[in-house]
């Protein structure tokens, strides 16, 4: 297996490993949500009039909406008026190189094991780093530019490539799609933008690291990835968050557009602060992710979700074009008092469309994990195919695992197979490992990684290693 | 090496072992035979430290240390290996990966560095040829979809890799055809030295034709009722266990 | 829907008046409670998660007559075909909601096979112990039935008794020249170590739309065994809403088989509450429907305690513009360890206008459990079809045979030979072939 070595890594800290935060001065807008705040955000970012109008329109739609109650999670409703919607590092000037980045910040990334220079030199991954909503460093731009690939912050894209942003923003996730998507549309401060031109195969994994880093700052990233005809891109997104006592709201929107014959692979390792062992604190992660596939296009979502106190997230595919393919591979781990309601929607509209769903849930402690998925076969989707496998692994008798698949079929030629199982880690499996000298915690990590293999195999190598470490860390202390 | 004194153990309140005494010295091969339900598998499970079993009395001393206080993984680190009668399946975990983890966890427990990859590879190749295992085998999920013979061969392969001081082979011959039996036994014999010991638990004499024991013990109703040399095994094969039972009754 | 609700509200007052002396006491309190809940909640709409895929509006828009007169009679010859032939049974026949003594065969000897109304007067303790104690309070249609509960079947098999023959419950609605609604109410108590098989049918003889809103409560006490079969093969102007709740006690075994072939509209709310350990529950269902038909199966298996086994198998075949729904929920509560729960739902769509919405759910709060569900939607195997044709079986027959084989699993627990035969014949009819087969 490609990442064997990682098992051998010693897992040290049992508390949240990335629970520290960087001390960077912020330029902050006072808390509150109103039209004025949106105007300030737009002005601070020097946005054109159409963008402001777009935001205001979203805000008006948002005001008519209410928070969704259907996910299988409970939490105190976040006070949106107590959130500051804009925070940016004070130094606003363009950075030429990493040397100009705040050294405090570089240290933070080192602690995370993702030092920029290392990444740059060794892995060839271009980094667009978002700290508190504003990009401070972008690398490898030159190389990408040669190929005509645009990879920048969304703010920059609004300035530099307004025609692309205007054409695609909000086309996959409409402003009024849901409560938090509408909020995001109104107040998003930054995020990433990526455009791959016709026929271009992006030679490196594009990657962003998001990080919440300012007390009381909500995060409203906006990501837009457009793969033009017959292009290919693999996009990575990873999250870590500092230890914090109060709840933090994260409501991102990700839109993917795969035009004819294009392919987008979108991978996420999510490790926001999950709260402490008593369920205090932790991030609320309410994300809308959706991709649109045109003819022969393919979108593949892979996610490893270990963090956040409360998650609801359904990376979805609209299979509009003939022969398009949607995939969803997910590992969701919950421990202590975490709650996750996650899954996908595969909307088959075109002929010969195919989708695959592999979901592996692992619940420990007092946590609750739900798979919620929709497979919809439209009347014109001749010969649509879906295969879904949703497995749950339970550890301890205080947790809950739930499966809510919705399957709607309006075409006789559809072939759909859905399977779900729930089981616990076998004591005999653990004993067997122990007899060979593998301690209980390592045994569980080993078994869990084996159980998740089909999903982990979908991740790019460096992410797979990190994901496995995260699984082990997340489940520490969950047996006994 | 191993000294078991007056061991009493059971499961869910049911007494199974009613006072076992057994001493195994380095370089020796012991066979424990007995009819079904006599406590053979309980004995191996208790030595390996399966938590379902309760030890109600007696002790197990391994190289001067009381084993009963140790967890199953700690016992493995001391050099105890149990070849399972029914090896479990662990989906998604390859044979290579599993063995690597096992070896390095043991090394870590002893304060040693992880085994370098090239050394591991070399050792694997060597032991694979001993057990006539091919490369493809290594990348399969542990025991998943393995035939009975493959599972047992995998057990002995792991034993070869881990180089235990004391190996307990629990019904390793069950479900094996004669060729597989020969390969497995051959492997065990090659691994035998004056420093390690083997306990063979079996119902039948068959395996003992290949792994020749220095001592044979007959376990019956939770007690060792007769001990002898390898001829005892032949006698059992010829006469069956009834003979022992009758002897017990008469005695 | 609002019109019908208003009508029911005023009808309830009339109903109360007509009860006279019976309008007091515990039973009526429960009716009133249920009625108040309904008044508050109203009929469910598609916004209600449990009604997401099924629209009640077209069913409830009719101006149903709620109280029917008892002057219509029916000849046995006209309804003979609805009974099991070749086998002797106890029979409870109701015409327009009234018990028909000359068509029925009841007993009070070793067991009570009689009417719900006589139970209310004769066995007040039974009524108080069981009436409305199994149906979930939040189901609006069940609440409406409870509010008007007056007549239906009462079956009580006493301790250690085995019913010597199956029981048939047949509810007939005659032609009144107007749209009619009826609300039968059944209570089944199978006492310790007792056993019985029951068959239930609703049949409309009317040319006008008929709505039956039936509710059945079943109590399977310790060590008891019950098979309950529902044949839903009514005419295409009839709609059926069936709420059935089962409470199972230690070591009992209950099968409910629901065979939906007819009707314009069917909604089944089937709940199993596992109250004590070591119970076995089987939920089997077949749906074979075509032009203009909708069948919605909603099931809940509520594992409240450890060591219970449940097994659910629903098969559906949808032709023309038929619409099918399957919503199965398995709930495993904390501490319900060693639960084994299985659920399988397989569907075949025969045309592009047919549709199926299925939602198999697992909600699990205990870790030492084995639960699984599987769901498929597909077509007939072309290879198999070709193979059969190449051996001389015409396409239509070959298809029917394959479909029959597909659905047949769900007859696994039909233990009355005459019923099995009848179902086989009905399925063959429904598939429009005349094959003399039994797999």
């Amino acid at each position: 297996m490609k990442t064997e070595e990682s098992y051998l890594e010693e897992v040290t800290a049992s508390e949240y490993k990335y629970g520290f935060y960087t001390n960077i001065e912020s330029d902050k807008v006072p808390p509150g949500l109103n039209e004025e705040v949106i105007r300030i955000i737009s002005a601070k970012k020097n946005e054109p009039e159409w963008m402001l109008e777009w935001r205001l329109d979203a805000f008006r739609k948002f005001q008519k909406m209410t928070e969704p109650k259907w996910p299988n999670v409970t939490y105190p409703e976040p006070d949106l008026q107590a959130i500051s919607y804009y925070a940016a590092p004070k130094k606003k000037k363009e950075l030429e190189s990493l040397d100009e980045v705040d050294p405090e910040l570089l240290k933070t990334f080192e602690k995370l094991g993702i030092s920029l220079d290392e990444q740059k030199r060794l892995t060839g991954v271009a980094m667009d780093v978002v700290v508190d909503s504003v990009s401070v460093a972008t690398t490898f731009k030159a190389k990408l530019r040669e190929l005509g690939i645009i990879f920048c912050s969304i703010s920059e894209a609004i300035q530099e490539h307004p025609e692309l942003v205007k054409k695609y923003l909000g086309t996959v996730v409409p402003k009024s799609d849901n409560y938090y998507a509408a909020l995001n549309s109104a107040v998003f401060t930054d995020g990433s933008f990526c455009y791959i031109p016709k026929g271009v195969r992006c030679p490196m994994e594009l990657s962003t690291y998001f990080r919440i880093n300012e007390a009381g700052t909500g995060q409203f990233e906006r990501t837009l990835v457009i793969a033009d005809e017959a292009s290919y891109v693999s996009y990575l997104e990873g999250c870590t968050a500092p230890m914090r006592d109060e709840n933090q709201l994260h409501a991102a929107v990700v839109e993917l557009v795969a035009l004819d014959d294009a392919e987008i692979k979108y991978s996420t390792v999510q490790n926001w602060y999950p709260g402490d062992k008593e369920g205090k604190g932790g991030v609320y992660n309410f994300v809308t992710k959706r991709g649109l596939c045109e003819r022969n296009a393919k979108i593949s979502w892979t996610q490893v979700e270990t963090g956040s106190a409360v998650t609801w997230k359904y990376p979805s595919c609209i299979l509009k074009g003939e022969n398009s393919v949607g995939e969803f591979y997910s590992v969701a781990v919950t421990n202590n008092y975490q709650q996750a309601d996650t899954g996908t929607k595969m909307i088959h509209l075109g002929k010969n469309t195919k989708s695959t769903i592999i979901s592996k849930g692992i619940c420990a402690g007092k946590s609750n994990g739900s798979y919620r998925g929709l497979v919809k076969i439209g009347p014109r989707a001749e010969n649509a195919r879906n295969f879904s496998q949703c497995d749950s692994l339970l550890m301890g008798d205080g947790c809950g695992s739930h499966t809510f698949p919705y399957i709607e079929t309006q075409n006789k030629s559809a072939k759909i197979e859905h399977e779900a199982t729930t089981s616990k880690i076998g004591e005999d499996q653990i004993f067997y490992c122990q007899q060979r000298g593998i301690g209980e915690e390592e045994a569980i990590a080993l078994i869990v990684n084996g159980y998740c293999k089909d999903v982990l195999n979908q991740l790019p190598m460096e992410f797979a290693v990190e994901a496995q470490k995260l699984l082990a860390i997340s489940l520490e202390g969950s047996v006994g | 090496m191993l000294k078991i004194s007056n061991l009493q153990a059971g499961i869910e309140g049911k007494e199974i072992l009613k006072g076992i005494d057994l001493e195994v010295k380095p370089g020796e091969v012991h066979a424990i035979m007995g009819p079904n339900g006599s406590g053979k598998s309980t004995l191996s499970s208790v030595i390996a430290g399966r938590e379902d079993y309760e030890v109600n009395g007696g002790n197990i001393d391994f190289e001067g240390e009381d084993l009963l206080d140790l967890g199953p993984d700690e016992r493995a680190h001391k050099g105890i290996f149990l070849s399972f009668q029914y090896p479990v399946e662990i989906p998604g975990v390859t044979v290579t990966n599993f063995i690597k983890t096992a070896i390095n966890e043991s090394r870590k427990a002893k304060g040693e560095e992880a085994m370098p990859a090239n050394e591991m590879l070399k050792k694997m190749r060597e032991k694979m040829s001993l057990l006539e295992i091919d490369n493809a085998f290594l990348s399969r999920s542990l025991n998943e979809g393995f035939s009975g013979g493959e599972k047992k061969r995998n057990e002995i392969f792991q034993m070869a890799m881990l180089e235990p001081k004391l190996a307990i082979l629990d019904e390793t011959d069950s479900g094996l055809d004669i060729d597989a039996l020969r390969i497995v036994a051959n492997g065990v014999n090659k691994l035998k030295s004056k420093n390690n010991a083997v306990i063979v638990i079996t119902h039948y004499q068959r395996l003992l034709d290949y792994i020749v024991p220095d001592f044979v013990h007959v376990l019956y109703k939770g007690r060792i009722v007769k001990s002898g040399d390898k001829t005892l095994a032949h006698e059992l094969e010829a006469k069956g266990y009834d003979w022992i039972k009758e002897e017990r009754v008469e005695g | 829907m609002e019109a019908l609700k208003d009508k029911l509200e005023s009808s309830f007052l009339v109903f109360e008046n007509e009860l006279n002396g019976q309008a007091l006491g515990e039973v009526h309190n429960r009716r009133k409670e249920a009625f108040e809940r309904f008044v508050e909640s109203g009929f469910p709409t598609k916004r209600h998660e449990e009604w997401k895929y099924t629209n009640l509006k077209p069913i409830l828009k009719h101006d149903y007559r709620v109280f029917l007169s008892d002057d219509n009679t029916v000849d046995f010859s006209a309804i003979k075909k609805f009974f099991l032939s070749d086998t002797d049974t106890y029979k409870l026949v109701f015409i327009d909601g009234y018990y028909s003594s000359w068509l029925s065969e009841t007993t009070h000897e070793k067991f009570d096979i009689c009417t719900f109304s006589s139970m209310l007067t004769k066995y007040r303790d039974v009524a108080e112990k069981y009436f409305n104690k199994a149906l979930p309070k939040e189901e609006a249609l069940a609440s409406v039935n409870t509010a008007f509960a007056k007549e239906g079947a009462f079956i009580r098999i006493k301790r250690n008794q085995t019913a010597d023959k199956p029981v048939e419950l047949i509810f007939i609605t005659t032609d009144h020249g107007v749209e009619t609604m009826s609300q039968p109410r059944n209570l089944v108590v199978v006492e310790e170590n007792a056993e019985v098989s029951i068959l239930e049918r609703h049949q409309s003889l009317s040319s006008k739309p008929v709505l039956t809103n039936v509710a059945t409560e079943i109590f399977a006490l310790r060590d008891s065994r019950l098979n309950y079969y529902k044949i839903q093969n009514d005419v295409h102007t009839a709609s059926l809403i069936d709420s059935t709740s089962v409470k199972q006690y230690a070591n009992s075994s209950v099968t409910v088989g629901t065979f939906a072939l007819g009707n314009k509209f069917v909604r089944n709310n089937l709940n199993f509450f596992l109250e004590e350990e070591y119970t076995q529950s089987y939920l089997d269902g077949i749906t074979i429907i075509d032009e203009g038909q909708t069948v919605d199966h909603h099931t809940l298996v509520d594992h409240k305690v450890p060591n219970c086994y449940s097994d659910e198998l629903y098969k559906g075949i949808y032709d023309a513009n038929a619409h099918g729904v399957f919503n199965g929920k398995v709930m495993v509560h904390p501490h319900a360890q060693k639960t084994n729960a299985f659920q399988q739902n397989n569907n075949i769509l025969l045309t592009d206008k047919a549709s199926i919405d299925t939602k198999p759910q697992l909600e699990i709060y205990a870790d030492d459990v084995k639960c699984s569900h599987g769901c498929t939607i597909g077509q007939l195997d072309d290879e198999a079809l070709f193979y059969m044709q190449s051996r001389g079986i015409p396409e239509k027959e070959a298809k029917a045979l394959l479909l029959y084989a597909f659905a047949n699993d769900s007859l696994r627990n039909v233990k009355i030979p005459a019923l099995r035969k009848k179902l086989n014949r009905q399925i063959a009819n429904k598939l429009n072939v005349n094959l003399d087969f039994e797999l």
Side-chain angles (χ1 to χ4, degrees), chain B residues 16-17 31-43 85 170-171 201-205 216-226 236-237 239-246 248:
Chain B
I16 297 171
L17 300 181
I32 295 179
M33 302 182 72
N36 289 331
S38 57
K40 301 193 298 289
S41 287
T42 302
L43 180 61
Q85 186 178 358
D170 189 0
E171 307 269 0
I201 293 177
T202 181
H203 190 90
Y204 303 105
Q205 146 73 20
V216 173
H217 311 278
V218 180
L219 193 60
Y220 181 65
K221 288 194 172 166
R223 287 193 177 88
I224 290 176
V225 294
K226 205 168 175 65
L236 283 169
E237 185 77 358
K239 294 185 182 172
Y241 288 104
D242 290 344
W243 156 65
I244 297 286
K245 292 179 194 168
E246 279 158 26
R248 288 285 296 168

Side-chain angles (χ1 to χ4, degrees), chain A residues 125-145:
Chain A
V125 172
M127 304 282 293
D128 177 37
V129 180
V130 176
V131 171
D132 269 35
S133 325
V134 170
S135 298
V136 291
T138 306
T139 54
F140 273 87
K141 262 194 178 167
K143 190 166 180 197
L144 295 172
R145 203 176 293 135

Side-chain angles (χ1 to χ4, degrees), chain A residues 368 382 394 396-397 400-416 418 420-422 424, chain C residues 49 53 337 350-352 355-367 371-377 379:
Chain A
N368 268 292
E382 290 292 319
L394 296 165
D397 56 8
S401 155
H402 321 291
T403 317
F404 305 105
Y406 294 69
I407 301 156
E408 305 175 8
T409 314
Q410 295 170 290
N411 190 297
K412 70 161 178 169
S413 57
K415 273 208 176 116
I416 297 175
H418 170 95
T421 63
T422 302
K424 68 182 287 196
Chain C
E49 178 67 22
Y53 294 119
Q337 300 292 10
L350 296 175
T351 74
D352 277 342
S355 60
I356 166 77
D357 296 310
T358 165
K359 195 181 157 201
Q361 305 167 73
L362 300 173
E363 274 201 65
I364 296 167
Y365 293 93
D367 68 331
C371 298
S372 70
H373 69 221
C375 165
T376 62
I377 296 165
Q379 303 81 45

Side-chain angles (χ1 to χ4, degrees), chain B residues 185-220:
Chain B
N186 186 36
V188 174
N189 286 331
K190 289 243 173 80
L191 296 168
K192 238 167 51 184
S193 77
K194 63 180 192 322
N195 300 319
N196 61 27
V198 181
I199 298 175
V200 182
I201 293 177
T202 181
H203 190 90
Y204 303 105
Q205 146 73 20
R206 197 168 73 130
L207 180 63
L208 304 181
D209 286 341
Y210 298 93
I211 304 172
V212 181
D214 303 303
F215 301 95
V216 173
H217 311 278
V218 180
L219 193 60
Y220 181 65

